Structures are given as structure tokens and as C-alpha cells.
Amino acid sequence: MSARPLILVTNDDGITAPGLRTLISVMNLIGDVVVVAPDSPQSAMGHAITINSTLHMEKVIIDGKQPEYSCSGTPADCVKLAVNEILDRRPDICVSGINHGSNSSINVIYSGTMSAALEAGIESIPAIGFSLLDYNWNANFEHCKTFVETITRQVLENGLPDGVVLNVNIPNLEKNAIKGIKVCRQARANWKEEFDKRTNPMGRDYYWLSGKFVNMDKGEDTDEWALENGYVSVVPVHFDLTAHHAIQNLNTWKLNN
Amino acid sequence: MSARPLILVTNDDGITAPGLRTLISVMNLIGDVVVVAPDSPQSAMGHAITINSTLHMEKVIIDGKQPEYSCSGTPADCVKLAVNEILDRRPDICVSGINHGSNSSINVIYSGTMSAALEAGIESIPAIGFSLLDYNWNANFEHCKTFVETITRQVLENGLPDGVVLNVNIPNLEKNAIKGIKVCRQARANWKEEFDKRTNPMGRDYYWLSGKFVNMDKGEDTDEWALENGYVSVVPVHFDLTAHHAIQNLNTWKLNN
């Protein structure tokens, strides 16, 4: 590692998003920053990658303080392009966000912000996804800065196990109303969908996806509990989806007769 | 459960894909089939959902043997629409595929096929994603049928733990060259990206994402080992991404000073 760490910054709300600008401002306190972010919003893209069409990227100047690249792909594409085409050495850390809206519990699986962090994890780069519990474009990210800085410095100091990345969610509260940072597990929750069915001017039906978040998990060690109780939640996540606890039982099935 | 189970069938290669047609033909032996699948290929869509644009669906007739709906969204959207708007009761099982190409090891995270199965899992519906290790549109799925039928019947008979779904990959071998079905964990592997950089007729650079699959995991309990050694691999997967093994160590960090 050079004197200053090399920090790859990305997000899923697009390169002009205020949450990304806040994240960049904190990272400039810590190391040398390179930004590679989508040229347009990519929320809810999950871990999509672009294999059936081409990717473009452009070097852009936004505030002139660090190199920035605007990319036509998904957040996972941005990390792949950064690592393989843009950076001349491996970044010491990849940070994604600050997302406009929650990526707690089940949201992690739909999240473009977290897919960028996981993609870095797949490449064995320590990574963090940050999200603020406020979906507004003009959300106030000011109180996030101290938590973002503390957690990033701790990751750089302590490292992370290979393939593990952090999912950090920050409550939308006044800074001194936040009680602290809490390490958690992902709550078991889901979205109870309510499709909004409409008819277009040509008489054809269409749908808007909407829904209500339902937390079925009352555990006090979960991210949902932490957020409801005024803590910043930190969940270590990985890309090994194996349900190891189910293997023993499956081995009793009649699969080979 | 009625006398015959209600089976939701989907995929990510689109409603006309030969792999889907094979899956439907097997499911018609087992229960009452409803097909809700994307109207166009959605490979590598990960767990994307459609929140910033509208969704359309059409009832279509393809072979006339079962109700079929063609949907403008992602595989995860198809499952949400099926459960909330199309089916009048919860399906007893959701099957996705048969994918044209592998979804073993790290591919699970990029896979539209598996995102449909995981979305069903989120809704507490038992689910299976099936994939054949052949990317060709005209792949021969004939030898898959017996494995697909056996595994589906075993899931219906035994059930699955809440939120657990199966990731099934089938080698591209003659039927009697396949040694059997093996329950596995996901191998630690990744893609070593090699972007193919080109210049378009207007002089602008663009990239094709390509790469080489690298298996770093020599374990004989992995899906990659099973597939290389002539077995059908079955990995139970879930959507709890928490790296539980990392929590204890994170609790020793200086996060709250």
C-alpha cells in the first residue's frame, strides 16, 4: 500500500447523485480517489451485468478534484471496468453509495449499491456499501460523514475476511440522535407487493410495482432492529449463497435410486 | 394442496426458449402448470426488478397446453406478477429454467434464472433453478428430463426449509455418462475479466465484457467438482447474505469511541 490508500468510489444512483458527492468528499480525507460510476440511475439492478450489449465509458470532469469516469453499465460493470481497464493497480478499498434509500435486510439482494460492493468482494477487494434511509434526491447526507469516515478507516486498519463486504445503513435522524454503530445480521423481511394496475391511452393494461415492507424478524441482533432503535447498522455480507444448514437434510433424500 | 400441485414455471432466456419448453413438458407430468416468463432474454440480470418503468404482460398461446403469460420485466418481476396478479392461489412450487448455460458457483449471483427461484424463496414458495452446461440456443435438453423430474418430485415430497431454494446444474453429457445427483456447496470461483476494447465507426471506444472462469476451490464437496466429475450438482441456496462467521471479529473493532 502506498502512503495514501487508493479508493475506488462508485454507486447506483448515477455519477451526479448528491449521495456519491458526499461519499467522495469523505474519501478525499482518507486517500487517493478514483470515481467510476453509472451515467444514469441503476437502482434495483441487483447483480446485473452487461453481456449482451456494449459498454461505453467517458472520462468526465465534475468538480475537478479526482479522476472520474462515467460508465454506461450497471454498478457491477463499473467495478469490473475500474479494476480491469482504468486503475493501474488494485484499489485498497471500494466504497459504494451513499445510496438514496435503505439497503437493509432483504433490500440487499435488489441493491445496485451492494452489488458493486459484492463485485469488489468477488475480486478480493475490501468493500463497503453505504445507504441513508431517505429516498429523496435532495436528502441531507451531512450527518452520514462521520460514520462513513469511521467505518472506512476501520476497514482499512483491520481488513476484512476474503470475500466479506460491509452493508452499512444510516438512519435518517439528527446526528446526535444516533446512538452509535451496531454490527448486525440481516433481518428476515420481505416486500408485500401491491401492483398498481393502470390502463394506457391506447387501452392497454400496465403495472407499477409497489409494495409494503414487512419485517417478520423480531431479533434484536438484526439490522432492522438497530435502525428502528437509532443505530447505524453494519452487516457483513458475502456471495456464498449456500444454505449450509440444509445440506445434511438434503443428503437423506432419494435422489439416486 | 389439491390432488395435483400448482407449478409456476419461469426462466430468464425468454418465453420461447427451448430450455423452458423442456421444463414445461416435464412439469406437465407432475402437476398443473402456469407459465409466466420474460418476453425477451434476461440473462445476467441478477436480482434486478423494475421500479422505474412500467410492466406489461400478455396472455399468449404457444402450444396451447397450459396458461402462459409473457411479461416485459425481469425474472424476479415475473415471479412477483405471477404470485400477486395472475395465480388465484399460491403455487406449490416454482421452477425456473432450464437455463442455456451454467449457473454453478459464482454464476448464481449474476443469474436471472436463480433470481426467479430466490424471489419465490423470499415469498416462502419452494423453488428450483435448473441449468444445462450448454450455452447454445439449440442445446439438447433431452437427458435433463429425468433429473428435473426426480428433483422436482423430491422437493414436493420433502419440502424445503423456509427461504431455501435449489440451484441445479446438469452436465452436458450423454445421459448414461452422468453418474448421479450430488448435493454440494457453492465453489469459490470468479471470472477473470478480459474486456474486448473496440472502436466504433464514429471513432468512439466501446467494450465487450468477456472473461475466463477461474475455480480457486479444490474442495470435493463443491458444485464445480461434481460437474467436472460427471454429476448433476444440487446446491441449496438462500438470500441471507450475512457472513455470520465475520460478526464476532467485527465486534472487536473500534466503531464507537
Side-chain angles (χ1 to χ4, degrees):
Chain A
M1 196 184 296
S2 66
R4 283 169 68 81
L6 178 60
I7 304 175
L8 172 62
V9 182
T10 188
N11 76 342
D12 77 344
D13 290 314
I15 197 159
T16 61
L20 179 72
R21 295 290 127 194
T22 304
L23 187 56
I24 292 168
S25 73
V26 177
M27 293 305 132
N28 274 323
L29 305 174
I30 300 177
D32 295 330
V33 172
V34 177
V35 179
V36 183
D39 59 11
S40 61
Q42 296 278 333
S43 292
M45 282 306 286
H47 210 98
I49 53 174
T50 303
I51 55 171
N52 289 318
S53 62
T54 58
L55 288 167
H56 292 89
M57 66 177 168
E58 302 288 347
K59 192 162 187 178
V60 293
I61 294 176
I62 295 179
D63 62 15
K65 291 180 187 156
Q66 57 284 312
E68 301 201 30
Y69 297 83
S70 171
C71 166
S72 65
T74 65
D77 290 330
C78 288
V79 172
K80 287 177 186 285
L81 276 168
V83 171
N84 293 283
E85 292 290 321
I86 298 173
L87 301 175
D88 47 21
R89 69 176 182 91
R90 288 174 66 75
D92 297 298
I93 192 168
C94 170
V95 293
S96 178
I98 302 172
N99 191 59
H100 295 238
S102 172
N103 280 316
S104 62
S105 65
I106 194 62
N107 299 301
V108 68
I109 210 166
Y110 303 107
S111 163
T113 303
M114 284 307 301
S115 78
L118 279 165
E119 186 62 39
I122 292 169
E123 305 258 4
S124 297
I125 298 162
I128 317 171
F130 293 102
S131 306
L132 170 65
L133 272 62
D134 185 341
Y135 287 92
N136 290 308
W137 189 257
N138 296 313
N140 181 4
F141 289 93
E142 205 51 37
H143 71 289
C144 299
K145 289 181 172 177
T146 172
F147 302 110
V148 168
E149 185 174 353
T150 298
I151 294 167
T152 304
R153 288 193 189 277
Q154 283 290 302
V155 169
L156 286 166
E157 193 177 315
N158 298 298
L160 281 169
D162 180 48
V164 172
V165 306
L166 301 184
N167 181 18
V168 175
N169 283 272
I170 301 170
N172 188 21
L173 296 171
E174 294 291 317
K175 183 174 168 183
N176 47 23
I178 294 183
K179 293 180 191 156
I181 298 172
K182 204 168 183 310
V183 179
C184 310
R185 66 173 173 85
Q186 174 184 328
R188 172 69 165 111
N190 69 8
W191 286 88
K192 182 82 204 112
E193 271 81 26
E194 288 155 8
F195 283 94
D196 183 351
K197 185 175 179 178
R198 301 184 182 189
T199 306
N200 76 8
M202 285 73 75
R204 188 180 179 203
D205 290 337
Y206 66 96
Y207 299 84
W208 286 104
L209 174 56
S210 69
K212 208 171 61 187
F213 181 76
V214 182
N215 179 14
M216 301 104 101
D217 191 336
K218 300 295 164 217
E220 298 194 358
D221 56 346
T222 66
D223 51 0
E224 290 305 326
W225 187 92
L227 293 162
E228 278 162 27
N229 287 274
Y231 292 91
V232 173
S233 66
V234 175
V235 178
V237 301
H238 60 173
F239 47 80
D240 177 8
L241 304 193
T242 310
H244 291 277
H245 64 283
I247 286 181
Q248 195 177 350
N249 178 260
L250 285 177
N251 275 320
T252 68
W253 288 17
K254 290 181 184 126
L255 293 169
N256 296 291
N257 280 341
Chain B
M1 195 184 295
S2 65
R4 281 169 70 82
L6 178 60
I7 304 175
L8 172 62
V9 181
T10 189
N11 77 342
D12 76 346
D13 291 314
I15 198 160
T16 61
L20 179 72
R21 296 291 126 193
T22 304
L23 187 55
I24 292 168
S25 74
V26 177
M27 293 306 133
N28 275 324
L29 304 174
I30 300 176
D32 295 331
V33 172
V34 177
V35 179
V36 183
D39 58 11
S40 61
Q42 296 279 332
S43 291
M45 282 306 288
H47 211 99
I49 52 174
T50 303
I51 54 172
N52 290 317
S53 62
T54 57
L55 288 168
H56 291 90
M57 67 178 168
E58 302 288 346
K59 191 161 186 178
V60 293
I61 293 176
I62 295 179
D63 62 15
K65 291 180 185 154
Q66 57 283 313
E68 302 201 30
Y69 298 81
S70 171
C71 166
S72 65
T74 66
D77 290 331
C78 287
V79 172
K80 287 177 186 286
L81 276 168
V83 171
N84 292 283
E85 292 291 321
I86 298 172
L87 301 175
D88 48 20
R89 69 175 181 92
R90 289 174 65 75
D92 297 298
I93 192 168
C94 170
V95 292
S96 178
I98 301 171
N99 192 58
H100 294 239
S102 173
N103 280 316
S104 62
S105 66
I106 194 62
N107 299 301
V108 69
I109 209 166
Y110 304 107
S111 164
T113 302
M114 285 307 300
S115 78
L118 280 165
E119 186 62 40
I122 291 168
E123 304 258 5
S124 297
I125 298 163
I128 317 170
F130 293 102
S131 305
L132 171 65
L133 272 63
D134 184 340
Y135 288 91
N136 290 308
W137 188 258
N138 296 313
N140 180 4
F141 289 94
E142 204 52 38
H143 71 288
C144 299
K145 290 182 172 178
T146 172
F147 302 109
V148 168
E149 184 174 353
T150 298
I151 294 166
T152 304
R153 288 193 188 277
Q154 284 290 301
V155 169
L156 286 166
E157 193 176 314
N158 297 299
L160 282 169
D162 180 48
V164 172
V165 306
L166 300 184
N167 182 17
V168 175
N169 283 270
I170 301 170
N172 188 21
L173 296 171
E174 295 291 317
K175 182 175 167 182
N176 46 24
I178 295 182
K179 292 181 192 154
I181 299 172
K182 203 167 181 313
V183 179
C184 310
R185 66 174 172 85
Q186 174 183 328
R188 171 70 165 111
N190 70 8
W191 285 89
K192 183 80 204 112
E193 271 80 26
E194 289 155 7
F195 282 94
D196 183 350
K197 186 176 178 177
R198 302 184 183 189
T199 307
N200 77 9
M202 283 73 75
R204 188 180 179 203
D205 290 337
Y206 66 96
Y207 299 84
W208 284 105
L209 174 57
S210 69
K212 207 170 62 186
F213 181 77
V214 182
N215 179 15
M216 300 106 102
D217 190 337
K218 300 295 165 217
E220 298 194 356
D221 57 346
T222 66
D223 51 359
E224 291 305 327
W225 187 93
L227 293 163
E228 279 163 25
N229 288 274
Y231 292 91
V232 173
S233 66
V234 175
V235 177
V237 302
H238 60 174
F239 47 82
D240 177 9
L241 304 192
T242 310
H244 291 277
H245 63 284
I247 287 181
Q248 195 177 351
N249 177 259
L250 285 176
N251 275 320
T252 67
W253 287 17
K254 290 179 184 130
L255 293 169
N256 296 291
N257 280 341

